[in-house]
Amino acid sequence: MYACEGHIPELAGERVLLRRLTEEDAPDMLRCWSDPDTRRFIELPPMQADADAAALIAWLNGLSEEEETLRWGIELAGSGRVIGSCGLNQWQLAGAYRGEFGCELASDCQGQGYMSEAAGLAMRFAFQEMGLNRIEAFVQPGNDRALRLFERLGYAREGVLREYRHTSAGYVDAVVFSMLKRDWSYRKGEVG
């Protein structure tokens, strides 16, 4: 059975590299995490300085040691610039073999296919290396970019969970998407 044990592997694509976030990535992630367009649909603590982003990076990396989260920085291949992050949250192997995909991207990099590529790399790792059977995504209604992303990736839209999360704005709904390993394999031409 898969165990992360704090190891966040590098996953290379054509245009992006998924890798462990480091303290040196704090300035890039501060720009991403403090961007109003990026923050609009995710709950993050207020960030004013690189140290705030570095603290969140350290916390996320710590969760990988506790088998809670596997979070990658999304680096533009060959540039060293981190433009966002993505990963698998709250995975459960025994009894469920599922995890939740979460992501955010700097607004100046949105709409260019970077997150589609990053999500594809993460899905392949989740299904082939971790042994997950199901990946879920929960998207706040009105987050049209994320809704389109999961539709484009082939996730099935399962419905709406009413008042699923409590945020600083109050209770919000969540649109539920899922990708099953068999669906992913079929889309990749590996089955049938």
Side-chain angles (χ1 to χ4, degrees):
M1 186 175 301
Y2 175 80
C4 177
E5 299 174 341
H7 174 69
I8 300 170
E10 285 192 359
L11 307 177
E14 290 182 27
R15 301 184 312 144
V16 299
L17 172 69
L18 301 188
R19 62 166 176 81
R20 182 183 191 91
L21 287 165
T22 67
E23 188 174 339
E24 289 76 31
D25 299 318
D28 286 340
M29 290 310 298
L30 176 65
R31 279 190 293 282
C32 179
W33 286 332
S34 62
D35 182 318
D37 281 346
T38 303
R39 293 182 65 87
R40 188 169 156 209
F41 295 106
I42 56 175
E43 286 287 308
L44 290 171
M47 292 189 202
Q48 305 298 322
D50 290 352
D52 298 326
L56 184 52
I57 289 168
W59 181 72
L60 289 169
N61 286 338
L63 289 176
S64 71
E65 295 169 7
E66 297 172 20
E67 307 295 321
E68 292 285 330
T69 293
L70 182 58
R71 196 72 174 192
W72 289 280
I74 303 169
E75 179 184 310
L76 286 177
S79 75
R81 179 184 173 205
V82 175
I83 60 173
S85 76
C86 70
L88 296 157
N89 306 316
Q90 304 170 11
W91 71 75
Q92 180 184 2
L93 294 179
Y97 298 93
R98 65 169 189 77
E100 177 185 337
F101 183 78
C103 59
E104 72 280 331
L105 195 64
S107 60
D108 67 318
C109 295
Q110 293 175 3
Q112 300 175 51
Y114 297 126
M115 188 56 74
S116 292
E117 184 177 342
L121 292 168
M123 280 191 295
R124 183 175 70 218
F125 184 82
F127 290 132
Q128 292 182 341
E129 302 301 324
M130 294 178 74
L132 296 186
N133 181 60
R134 176 184 168 93
I135 301 173
E136 301 165 339
F138 299 90
V139 180
Q140 190 172 323
N143 188 347
D144 295 333
R145 278 192 186 280
L147 293 169
R148 286 191 308 269
L149 169 71
F150 291 108
E151 289 168 354
R152 192 170 49 253
L153 290 170
Y155 278 65
R157 186 177 187 144
E158 294 185 338
V160 176
L161 297 172
R162 298 177 330 140
E163 296 185 358
Y164 182 69
R165 289 193 173 121
H166 187 267
T167 70
S168 58
Y171 291 101
V172 296
D173 295 346
V175 179
V176 182
F177 288 90
S178 70
M179 174 68 74
L180 301 180
K181 183 175 184 176
R182 64 186 161 124
D183 299 335
W184 177 79
S185 295
Y186 181 79
R187 287 178 61 86
K188 295 296 176 197
E190 295 174 6
V191 176

